[in-house]
Amino acid sequence: MSKYHLITFGCQMNKSDSERIAAVLENIGYKPASKINEANLIVVNMCSVRQSAVDRVFGKCQKLVKLQTLNPKLKTILTGCLLKEDRKKFRDKFDLILDIKDLPQWPPILSKKHYNITTLQQYNNYLQLRPKYQSRFSTLIPISNGCDNFCSYCVVPYVRGRLVCRPAKEIIEEIKNLVKREVNPIRNMISNGAREIWLLGQNVNSYNSLICANAGTNLRKYSWKFAPKLAQIREVNFPKLLKMANDVPGDFWLRFTSPHPKDFSDELMETMAGCRKITPYLNLPVQSGDNKILRKMNRDYTAGEYKNLVKKIRKTFAKIRGKFPPISISTDVIVGFPGETKKQFEATLKLFKEIKFDMAYIAKYSPRPGTAAAKLKDSVSKQEKERRYKVLTEILKETALKNNKKYINKIVDVLPEYKKGEWLVGKTKTYKTIKIQMTKSKYQINAKIQNPKLIGKFIKVRVIKALSWGLGGELA
Ligand code: SF4
């Protein structure tokens, strides 16, 4: 029997791509291998965003060579966010290197005895393929692919191409199918649909599509000659898409990632605060607290504008949703960008102290070939990048802890994701990790039976402990 093993690196978008790869492979008869050495096809879905991610793929290659020595019939494929330079480096390490956008064309290649890359053809958006969802209660839905922003350090526009948006109608249909309750009369069971929907895009607030106001038709299917009259055409931007998603019946949370601060409109913040299914959590990448560095990064906003934006978002949320819980804000930041002086780094520290983030994803700069920043001298030493990373992490630990302490004794909604020992681990609406103690609660007697049944269902939890990176609680 043909078995496959999938190795995924990178962000949620890559994870979502892997769900589509799994669906395509299973459609042509492959079954998932429970162990890597049982597979006769290994697909590595890689990420080129940071050098460390590329190094990890190199690390995996040695294992793949060993496996191919033991099993000469084993085939290997490399796909994902691939730079031209990486393609060259990995050419002799994999049997095939395939573009993720050509996923609909993989089956004819894989069913041939000898792979032949020339059979690739252009195909419509690969995001139209139905994925094999990895979780029944938390699902990833890409709304677009690629990016037009060209931040100077970023490879996304080169590896994923320019922005392409999925039609709104297709996205809303996918949400409707995922969240609906299913009744199985034979097994006398009702299964709840998805409880958490993540809308994904490299820059979600650039989202834009056109639909026909009457039928919700996707205009891209028609030439303009046959397009319905202009009066019937409606433009769907990101806030409108959120409203449409919020209107889908069902009990579920809506999350999205990631927006660009330069495109964050009043309409978006009011929609976020006003639509109750949208969770009070926002990842808003700042990247630096220094204006000169932001300019060199081609980010198109200043540190002051970013701070004002966060203030306004917090105020809008407090006004519409009340004071607790306050919207939780995380960020992405790069330390050691080419030419970043100690003083410029201190501006980032200052911004972190002022904003008091709930979480931050801190990256040590590494040049990526082909980007504008790669032409600049990587002037900050490895040790200094490490130092800046640690200093910033310390500030974050303090602010996150302070924010988390506000949750003590409060009752919050939680979506449990998995069980770890006698703990249930899940996320709050504000995207804080929470460990739920089962044994000391009033459910003590039934704890062992109840634990697995609570996974993927909304529960109420009383917070009893606050740490920098999460909360502790018990069933309320
Ligand atoms: S907006 Fe995001 S994905 Fe687009 S170029 Fe900038 S960092 Fe990359």
Side-chain angles (χ1 to χ4, degrees):
M1 186 197 287
S2 300
K3 288 189 175 178
Y4 74 93
H5 183 81
L6 202 43
I7 303 169
T8 310
F9 294 94
C11 63
Q12 282 168 302
M13 194 70 185
N14 281 33
K15 283 183 193 149
S16 170
D17 285 349
S18 282
E19 293 184 340
R20 283 177 170 75
I21 296 170
V24 165
L25 295 178
E26 290 184 27
N27 252 330
I28 56 169
Y30 279 89
K31 295 265 175 285
S34 47
K35 288 182 196 149
I36 190 168
N37 52 8
E38 285 174 3
N40 33 29
L41 176 68
I42 296 177
V43 182
V44 177
N45 184 7
M46 78 169 274
C47 160
S48 302
V49 167
R50 289 188 206 137
Q51 186 56 44
S52 55
V54 179
D55 295 344
R56 282 167 66 204
V57 178
F58 258 110
K60 275 273 174 260
C61 287
Q62 288 164 3
K63 185 163 187 186
L64 295 187
V65 170
K66 268 190 208 158
L67 287 169
Q68 277 189 314
T69 322
L70 295 171
N71 174 10
K73 285 190 181 154
L74 172 67
K75 298 288 178 202
T76 57
I77 295 179
L78 180 67
T79 187
C81 293
L82 277 159
L83 278 168
K84 244 197 251 161
E85 288 73 5
D86 295 329
R87 273 176 195 264
K88 279 185 212 155
K89 275 187 223 160
F90 287 114
R91 202 161 36 202
D92 58 345
K93 301 204 162 21
F94 288 85
D95 294 305
L96 266 185
I97 297 184
L98 296 178
D99 198 324
I100 187 69
K101 282 194 230 148
D102 294 318
L103 186 56
Q105 291 303 309
W106 287 24
I109 301 166
L110 295 178
S111 47
K112 284 203 168 108
K113 212 169 178 188
H114 301 290
Y115 296 160
N116 179 4
I117 202 153
T118 55
T119 54
L120 283 182
Q121 290 162 20
Q122 276 300 310
Y123 194 87
N124 284 344
N125 196 347
Y126 77 101
L127 296 177
Q128 287 169 334
L129 292 170
R130 196 182 149 78
K132 181 195 175 195
Y133 301 105
Q134 290 303 306
S135 162
R136 73 189 155 76
F137 58 86
S138 176
T139 48
L140 309 170
I141 304 188
I143 61 165
S144 61
N145 187 35
C147 184
D148 289 344
N149 282 322
F150 290 92
C151 300
S152 66
Y153 51 83
C154 181
V155 292
V156 167
Y158 307 99
V159 293
R160 288 199 170 260
R162 305 300 289 262
L163 178 79
V164 178
C165 297
R166 274 180 84 187
K169 187 176 177 265
E170 203 177 285
I171 297 166
I172 299 302
E173 281 307 313
E174 192 173 346
I175 298 176
K176 279 184 186 161
N177 283 330
L178 283 168
V179 301
K180 74 176 171 221
R181 280 158 66 92
E182 309 251 26
V183 182
N184 185 334
I186 299 168
R187 298 176 73 190
N188 199 18
M189 270 171 62
I190 299 174
S191 59
N192 292 314
R195 289 293 187 226
E196 181 180 61
I197 301 281
W198 277 95
L199 301 180
L200 307 180
Q202 270 82 32
N203 177 18
V204 284
N205 41 10
S206 293
Y207 179 85
N208 206 294
S209 82
L210 297 173
I211 59 170
C212 172
N214 288 345
T217 315
N218 167 23
L219 284 186
R220 273 191 229 148
K221 283 183 190 159
Y222 300 93
S223 74
W224 280 99
K225 197 172 149 201
F226 300 111
K229 282 184 192 141
L230 275 174
Q232 295 176 313
I233 295 169
R234 191 153 61 90
E235 194 185 350
V236 181
N237 62 9
F238 187 56
K240 290 197 175 71
L241 180 73
L242 285 177
K243 274 186 204 144
M244 288 164 73
N246 185 71
D247 287 344
V248 172
D251 186 15
F252 61 97
W253 292 351
L254 262 176
R255 302 193 192 270
F256 63 84
T257 191
S258 269
H260 194 304
K262 78 175 167 65
D263 300 322
F264 211 105
S265 63
D266 288 357
E267 185 192 6
L268 177 55
M269 67 183 86
E270 278 153 23
T271 303
M272 273 187 78
C275 292
R276 294 294 159 151
K277 285 174 189 157
I278 301 176
T279 57
Y281 167 69
L282 178 66
N283 173 258
L284 192 63
V286 65
Q287 307 300 5
S288 170
D290 181 81
N291 291 342
K292 266 197 188 158
I293 295 292
L294 285 170
R295 255 202 314 278
K296 277 166 102 176
M297 288 177 163
N298 194 27
R299 290 294 287 175
D300 227 4
Y301 54 84
T302 64
E305 283 165 352
Y306 182 92
K307 288 178 202 170
N308 287 338
L309 177 63
V310 171
K311 259 188 223 158
K312 206 168 168 185
I313 294 170
R314 283 182 169 150
K315 213 170 145 190
T316 310
F317 257 83
K319 194 172 146 202
I320 300 178
R321 295 221 187 166
K323 287 212 167 113
F324 189 85
I327 180 168
S328 151
I329 297 187
S330 70
T331 197
D332 299 345
V333 65
I334 299 171
V335 295
F337 187 79
E340 186 190 61
T341 62
K342 287 191 177 163
K343 208 169 159 206
Q344 286 169 327
F345 170 65
E346 274 158 24
T348 304
L349 283 182
K350 193 168 162 245
L351 182 137
F352 262 58
K353 284 180 189 163
E354 276 178 52
I355 301 230
K356 301 182 177 62
F357 289 110
D358 291 89
M359 182 45 80
Y361 304 94
I362 308 170
K364 290 169 253 174
Y365 175 78
S366 60
R368 306 307 301 124
T371 59
K375 295 187 188 105
L376 306 170
K377 191 171 174 241
D378 186 12
S379 55
V380 183
S381 69
K382 232 178 163 183
Q383 293 83 342
E384 180 58 14
K385 282 177 192 163
E386 189 60 40
R387 187 192 73 81
R388 292 180 193 183
Y389 175 89
K390 283 186 181 154
V391 176
L392 207 50
T393 304
E394 282 311 308
I395 305 287
L396 175 68
K397 264 183 169 174
E398 282 171 29
T399 60
L401 178 62
K402 218 169 167 185
N403 292 345
N404 287 350
K405 279 186 175 167
K406 292 178 193 152
Y407 282 71
I408 296 278
N409 280 329
K410 295 274 195 304
I411 292 176
V412 293
D413 293 314
V414 172
L415 182 61
E417 292 172 351
Y418 58 93
K419 190 179 169 239
K420 197 175 181 189
E422 287 309 308
W423 302 86
L424 266 182
V425 185
K427 287 277 195 283
T428 65
K429 261 189 184 176
T430 47
Y431 204 56
K432 291 188 185 280
T433 303
I434 184 160
K435 281 172 80 177
I436 305 141
Q437 198 177 356
M438 301 298 293
T439 46
K440 283 187 192 155
S441 71
K442 59 183 173 182
Y443 290 85
Q444 187 167 7
I445 306 159
N446 288 330
K448 282 203 172 109
I449 308 160
Q450 292 223 6
N451 273 347
K453 288 191 176 170
L454 296 179
I455 292 169
K457 290 182 185 152
F458 292 134
I459 56 171
K460 297 269 181 212
V461 176
R462 180 184 301 283
V463 179
I464 52 174
K465 195 172 178 181
L467 300 164
S468 292
W469 307 138
L471 304 167
E474 59 183 14
L475 282 170

